[in-house]
Amino acid sequence: MADLKTLADQLVNLTVKEVKELADILKDEYGIEPAAAAVAVAAPGAGGAGAGAAEVEEKTSFDVILKAAGGQKLAVVKLVKELTGLGLKEAKELVDGAPKAVKEGIAKDEADALKKSLEEAGAEVEIK
């Protein structure tokens, strides 16, 4: 049981880049599609957030909201596709439907990194 707790802690603390690498490994070596991998990786995070809900004072999970694509819409769509593991069509729909959540229930560091990446691509982003 302690091994599963350790694994869950490791998954919850992955950076955006590490989640992308994990999705690639799952796809290449095990035939699991990245969208399914993103859900599998997000599931332990949801359980971890529930366990931390007792500490109400400090917010531990954040949502990254895409407010607008900005002038570089194509670059933002490509980045959203890469960061979320969505297909091109789904990423385009997410960007076109802004304001919309790109990722929900993630750690502060990951949310900041995601916001920085999206803003560098020209998007207007908010963390809630």
Side-chain angles (χ1 to χ4, degrees):
M1 191 61 116
D3 291 337
L4 291 177
K5 173 75 172 129
T6 303
L7 177 61
D9 288 340
Q10 290 173 342
L11 286 173
V12 169
N13 293 317
L14 289 177
T15 64
V16 173
K17 183 178 178 185
E18 290 169 334
V19 170
K20 171 75 172 115
E21 290 173 9
L22 177 61
D24 291 342
I25 291 169
L26 290 173
K27 181 179 180 185
D28 296 342
E29 294 184 19
Y30 300 100
I32 299 172
E33 290 299 315
V39 170
V41 170
E55 298 178 17
V56 178
E57 296 90 26
E58 185 176 339
K59 186 170 179 172
T60 57
S61 65
F62 298 85
D63 299 340
V64 177
I65 310 296
L66 177 69
K67 292 175 73 177
Q72 300 290 326
K73 182 178 172 183
L74 182 58
V76 173
V77 170
K78 286 180 180 180
L79 185 59
V80 167
K81 177 184 179 292
E82 178 184 322
L83 295 173
T84 61
L86 293 172
L88 184 59
K89 180 181 177 190
E90 291 82 6
K92 183 181 180 302
E93 288 172 355
L94 190 148
V95 172
D96 287 342
K100 212 164 198 176
V102 176
K103 282 199 172 184
E104 298 177 325
I106 59 176
K108 176 80 169 141
D109 293 341
E110 184 180 355
D112 289 338
L114 190 61
K115 179 181 179 186
K116 182 179 178 194
S117 297
L118 288 166
E119 286 178 340
E120 287 174 357
E124 187 179 330
V125 183
E126 175 183 33
I127 296 178
K128 289 189 176 184

